[in-house]
Amino acid sequence: MGIGDGWLRLMTFDLALKVPQVKVRTYSTHYKVNSVDASDYAKWYKAEEKPKLTDEEYMKADDFTIDLTDFRTRFRKPARSAK
């Protein structure tokens, strides 16, 4: 395996949750599978990319969720000024 396998990151934003989230998944357009569903994914790439990680750590680095804990505070609608 190597370069040219069509791996890309897909990000799904869920702003309807109490704490909004971004879900990040790694998908191959060549294999038509998410990295977490490819049983040999770590074996194919880890040694070249991040050999010090365990297989589990490597897999988690390509499939994770980010909680946007301060999203509502940072991006709330500004208060309308009274005239």
Side-chain angles (χ1 to χ4, degrees):
M1 300 304 132
I3 297 173
D5 295 341
W7 293 101
L8 54 101
R9 291 281 170 90
L10 301 174
M11 299 188 322
T12 305
F13 295 79
D14 191 344
L15 304 179
L17 297 173
K18 183 175 181 179
V19 175
Q21 292 181 333
V22 178
K23 291 183 182 181
V24 180
R25 305 293 179 253
T26 302
Y27 177 79
S28 171
T29 57
H30 176 75
Y31 298 112
K32 302 195 182 338
V33 66
N34 288 319
S35 61
V36 295
D37 298 323
S39 59
D40 290 332
Y41 182 72
K43 182 175 80 173
W44 293 339
Y45 304 106
K46 185 181 74 141
E48 292 288 324
E49 294 179 4
K50 297 184 181 179
K52 293 182 180 181
L53 296 181
T54 66
D55 286 359
E56 184 178 335
E57 291 168 332
Y58 185 78
M59 296 297 284
K60 285 182 180 180
D62 282 349
D63 189 273
F64 56 93
T65 300
I66 302 168
D67 290 330
L68 303 174
T69 55
D70 65 343
F71 182 85
R72 300 216 188 286
T73 302
R74 292 179 66 206
F75 297 103
R76 70 176 175 248
K77 292 181 182 179
R80 295 185 84 162
S81 59
K83 291 186 178 184

